[in-house]
Amino acid sequence: MALLEILQYPDERLRTIAEPVAEVNDDIRKIVDDMLETMYDSKGVGLAATQVDIHLRIVVMDFSDDGSEPLVLINPSFEPLTDELTDLSEGCLSVPGFFELLDRPAQIRLTALDRDGNEYSKDLDALPAVCVQHELDHLNGKLFVDYLSRLKQERIRKKLVKNRRLATA
């Protein structure tokens, strides 16, 4: 397994729309394993392939406290199960250090393929539902900052660019 570089906003590669996975094979399983290792190393709960410059419809997640319950989503989709919205604070490994409250459907039905290519569906609510929606946004070239005002987006962009400049100085 290998750690992958996580792209950071405003990197334009984060805007790439991911392609469906044609076949779940050993190459795809290696990507999944590398993404899980990267997510755990970065202390995240979710990671989309787009964030590591792989433009395939793959997401990994783990909501357990000890990293023992990895969830693999290949070619994922979801449908809202309610009109009720939840406003949980969202952060992102590609937008480090920033958190914002966003309204998203409170309950969803997730459909995806697992690490072995088997289709499954799961009904999710609260944090898992929000996380799925957040990560699927990544696969569609969208970031949580896109839901914010232009002024907030610009402040975040400038701060991250400045932080990277200081880190490399």
Side-chain angles (χ1 to χ4, degrees):
M1 292 197 299
L3 289 178
L4 305 170
E5 177 189 359
I6 297 174
L7 302 177
Q8 290 193 0
Y9 177 74
D11 192 310
E12 282 302 311
R13 293 173 289 178
L14 290 166
R15 302 300 182 181
T16 306
I17 297 173
E19 296 290 327
V21 172
E23 176 189 0
V24 178
N25 54 31
D26 287 342
D27 292 337
I28 296 300
R29 283 187 279 278
K30 176 164 181 5
I31 291 169
V32 165
D33 293 343
D34 290 347
M35 286 176 61
L36 283 165
E37 183 177 0
T38 301
M39 179 188 72
Y40 290 134
D41 184 71
S42 301
K43 311 290 189 262
V45 295
L47 183 68
T50 303
Q51 292 177 269
V52 292
D53 204 21
I54 297 171
H55 303 289
L56 295 170
R57 296 189 70 76
I58 303 171
V59 169
V60 295
M61 299 178 178
D62 193 328
F63 302 105
S64 68
D65 292 332
D66 61 357
S68 63
E69 299 175 29
L71 185 61
V72 175
L73 292 68
I74 298 172
N75 296 338
S77 63
F78 76 91
E79 61 179 288
L81 296 177
T82 179
D83 291 334
E84 180 187 346
L85 299 177
T86 186
D87 64 342
L88 292 177
S89 181
E90 293 188 35
C92 182
L93 294 174
S94 291
V95 189
F98 291 91
F99 300 87
E100 292 288 336
L101 290 174
L102 297 181
D103 288 333
R104 295 198 188 256
Q107 296 178 325
I108 64 166
R109 175 162 296 133
L110 164 69
T111 303
L113 302 177
D114 66 15
R115 189 177 185 282
D116 296 316
N118 301 310
E119 185 173 355
Y120 68 95
S121 290
K122 255 182 133 113
D123 291 353
L124 303 170
D125 60 11
L127 178 63
V130 168
C131 191
V132 165
Q133 294 170 76
H134 175 105
E135 299 304 336
L136 268 63
D137 272 354
H138 279 299
L139 298 181
N140 294 319
K142 192 168 188 169
L143 293 129
F144 85 94
V145 296
D146 296 341
Y147 294 98
L148 307 176
S149 71
R150 288 278 178 220
L151 180 62
K152 276 190 175 182
Q153 289 177 37
E154 188 59 21
R155 278 193 211 144
I156 291 170
R157 187 191 67 75
K158 285 181 178 177
K159 182 78 170 168
L160 289 173
V161 168
K162 180 182 177 184
N163 288 349
R164 277 195 293 279
R165 200 171 36 239
L166 292 173
T168 58

